[in-house]
Amino acid sequence: MLCAETSQKNIWSAGWRDPDWASYTLGVFICLSCSGIHRNIPQVSKVKSVRLDAWDDAQVEFMTSRGNHVARAAFESEVPPFYYRPSASDCQLLREQWIRAKYERQEFTHPERQEPYSAGYREGFLWKRGRDNGQFLSRKFVLTEREGALKYFNRSDAKEPKAIMKIEHLNATFQPAKIGHPHGLQVTYLKDNSTRNIFVYHEDGKEMVDWFNALRAARFHYLQVAFPGASDADLVPKLSRNYLQEGYMEKTGPKQTEGFRKRWFTMDDRRLMYFKDPLDAFARGEVFIGSRESGYTVLDGLPPSTQGHHWPHGITIVTPERRFLLACETESEQRAWMEAFRKVVDRPMLPQEYAGEVGGAAWGPSPMAPSGPDRLAPCPFSSGSPLQAQTLARDGPGGLRAPDSPDVAGEAAVAGGMRDSAAPDVLRWGLSLSG
């Protein structure tokens, strides 16, 4: 058994739990989950249990002299600031490709091997889910930082793209369970001032993660130009984001007399969106959720007179204008949603977020969403807010003013072809550098 003192002294302090395993060829301590990945690269890493396996003196001495801090300095010396560093809660694909990139391919000690996601241009074929028929078909994708856009084409010989996704409005997050593929990626962008989702994957895990990091690189370089006064530490958390919470809940309409309907909900920062199906291209509606100081709160349960809900665990979201009634199937799901809502409500709003609040206390259907009983109110984000655009141009991300370049945000927006009506969505898509 390897000495407990040695393992604790060299423990990897990046949010990973129970490093009860170790690679005795790399000199690093790892968790059970990562040990399985290390076992798949035996030419690089050989694994033992810290507590159960026998260790000879030479191996113990090597582990004592190395450890995670030494290995990190050796194998992570050239990690680009935009490259996604996974945590213990991230999907298997991200963790596996991080380990392979670091130890097997040694991309972070040989920067020339980073070309697939650092070149500023990338093209290739991905399997994309059709909006209407739900079938995954091979589509050509082109990412070009020079044009500030990700494009895809319905045919490989097509001259015009089917869609152009501007980098400043784009987010990407891995969603293997939702998409039904271990390499599934959800890309979200703006189309006609509404949120649009596309779902893609590639059979090669490295290829998919390279696409993900290429998108983050393009976002990073765009933000660097738009906000030259911002540090890497300010910009990196805004390159991509995971959703705070997702899942099914029941909802009713604004009169609270309609029957409750089961819908898929996504909490994306301060936007609560709902869909009829998790893989819908467009949200059927969305609502802005502000802070407690602005009159927003979240209550456990539903008003006593509420009827028509099939699920017993209610949630009431109180806004300055009205109340939203939701219901969860299980108590654990209710607790998870309550925690997500309270994190948002307890967080003070930034000045530019108040502009997004105007008109936001109603289920606002996407302009592209189908008509029907879910279309309950005008979309709060369907038109631009001069106040929000001015705040962004003046103060930069999160109120961080760009020195010696007061109009740089406006110039970057014009250069990227952003209409004034889309200005609020730039804030929605991550230029606000709040937590």
Side-chain angles (χ1 to χ4, degrees):
M1 182 178 74
L2 187 60
C3 172
E5 180 183 355
T6 301
S7 63
Q8 290 301 316
K9 177 176 148 183
N10 293 287
I11 188 171
W12 191 3
S13 57
W16 302 87
R17 297 179 178 179
D18 302 323
D20 289 337
W21 298 80
S23 168
Y24 61 90
T25 53
L26 295 172
V28 295
F29 293 89
I30 53 181
C31 67
L32 175 62
S33 178
C34 289
S35 71
I37 300 172
H38 278 258
R39 290 184 189 278
N40 289 331
I41 49 174
Q43 70 278 16
V44 175
S45 182
K46 296 188 183 298
V47 176
K48 281 187 175 186
S49 168
V50 170
R51 304 179 187 279
L52 302 178
D53 290 327
W55 291 77
D56 60 40
D57 292 343
Q59 291 170 342
V60 172
E61 184 178 350
F62 178 71
M63 294 298 299
T64 304
S65 65
R66 296 279 293 184
N68 293 69
H69 295 295
V70 173
R72 188 180 298 117
F75 290 101
E76 300 181 25
S77 59
E78 298 286 344
V79 181
F82 59 79
Y83 196 97
Y84 188 81
R85 294 171 178 260
S87 69
S89 61
D90 279 307
C91 65
Q92 172 81 3
L93 176 65
L94 281 170
R95 290 184 286 115
E96 177 182 356
Q97 290 303 316
W98 165 254
I99 289 170
R100 288 185 179 274
K102 183 163 57 169
Y103 298 123
E104 184 181 38
R105 299 191 293 269
Q106 297 191 9
E107 294 176 13
F108 310 134
T109 53
H110 300 277
E112 68 276 6
R113 300 177 186 176
Q114 301 169 11
E115 190 272 340
Y117 45 83
S118 298
Y121 180 89
R122 182 179 178 85
E123 69 174 69
F125 288 85
L126 299 173
W127 292 97
K128 176 190 170 292
R129 187 180 190 273
R131 185 185 72 178
D132 299 320
N133 59 21
Q135 294 181 342
F136 281 88
L137 298 173
S138 180
R139 293 290 182 256
K140 180 182 177 181
F141 282 77
V142 175
L143 172 64
T144 166
E145 286 190 18
R146 183 178 61 84
E147 299 178 28
L150 173 67
K151 309 174 185 180
Y152 80 85
F153 301 78
N154 273 351
R155 300 191 316 273
S156 59
D157 59 349
K159 295 183 179 179
E160 296 297 325
K162 176 68 174 177
I164 300 176
M165 297 159 262
K166 304 302 290 185
I167 292 299
E168 63 264 37
H169 301 154
L170 185 146
N171 182 53
T173 178
F174 279 98
Q175 295 275 17
K178 181 195 291 189
I179 296 173
H181 193 281
H183 306 161
L185 185 74
Q186 179 175 345
V187 178
T188 307
Y189 66 103
L190 294 182
K191 180 179 175 64
D192 300 327
N193 286 330
S194 67
T195 302
R196 170 72 195 273
N197 299 317
I198 66 171
F199 304 94
V200 297
Y201 71 86
H202 195 284
E203 294 293 353
D204 186 323
K206 178 185 182 301
E207 184 79 5
M208 199 68 258
V209 173
D210 283 350
W211 270 105
F212 176 63
N213 281 302
L215 292 173
R216 285 174 56 88
R219 286 269 300 166
F220 181 65
H221 297 145
Y222 165 76
L223 294 178
Q224 280 184 315
V225 172
F227 305 104
S231 67
D232 290 356
D234 288 328
L235 298 180
V236 166
K238 304 306 173 184
L239 302 184
S240 62
R241 66 190 179 279
N242 297 323
Y243 299 132
L244 297 179
Q245 184 71 16
E246 282 196 296
Y248 281 108
M249 289 192 289
E250 291 184 331
K251 65 170 288 293
T252 187
K255 296 180 182 179
Q256 300 177 1
T257 57
E258 303 92 339
F260 279 71
R261 291 182 173 87
K262 178 182 174 181
R263 294 291 181 257
W264 178 267
F265 282 81
T266 296
M267 189 70 204
D268 185 7
D269 196 37
R270 291 194 181 274
R271 289 184 307 130
L272 178 63
M273 301 178 287
Y274 70 91
F275 306 80
K276 190 172 183 179
D277 183 88
L279 298 180
D280 280 348
F282 295 98
R284 287 182 170 252
E286 58 184 70
V287 62
F288 178 88
I289 298 181
S291 67
R292 193 176 304 279
E293 291 79 4
S294 299
Y296 294 80
T297 190
V298 182
L299 303 177
D300 185 344
L302 299 172
S305 61
T306 305
Q307 297 180 349
H309 56 98
H310 304 91
W311 289 347
H313 305 283
I315 298 174
T316 301
I317 300 176
V318 181
T319 77
E321 285 77 22
R322 58 165 284 196
R323 295 182 174 217
F324 296 90
L325 307 185
L326 307 169
C328 299
E329 186 175 16
T330 68
E331 185 177 358
S332 61
E333 291 173 349
Q334 180 201 40
R335 286 197 301 267
W337 277 107
M338 291 284 292
E339 182 181 356
F341 289 141
R342 283 170 174 161
K343 282 182 179 178
V344 173
V345 169
D346 291 343
R347 193 180 74 217
M349 287 170 58
L350 295 171
Q352 57 264 41
E353 290 180 316
Y354 284 95
E357 181 186 21
V358 177
W363 288 120
S366 160
M368 300 299 291
S371 61
D374 285 327
R375 292 183 66 88
L376 302 178
C379 179
F381 299 114
S382 61
S383 61
S385 164
L387 171 61
Q388 201 166 13
Q390 291 167 8
T391 303
L392 173 64
R394 181 187 70 243
D395 296 335
L400 181 61
R401 191 167 189 138
D404 303 322
S405 185
D407 296 323
V408 67
E411 293 168 2
V414 172
M418 184 182 74
R419 300 188 306 276
D420 179 63
S421 62
D425 297 301
V426 177
L427 290 169
R428 290 167 56 202
W429 286 112
L431 296 191
S432 166
L433 294 183
S434 62

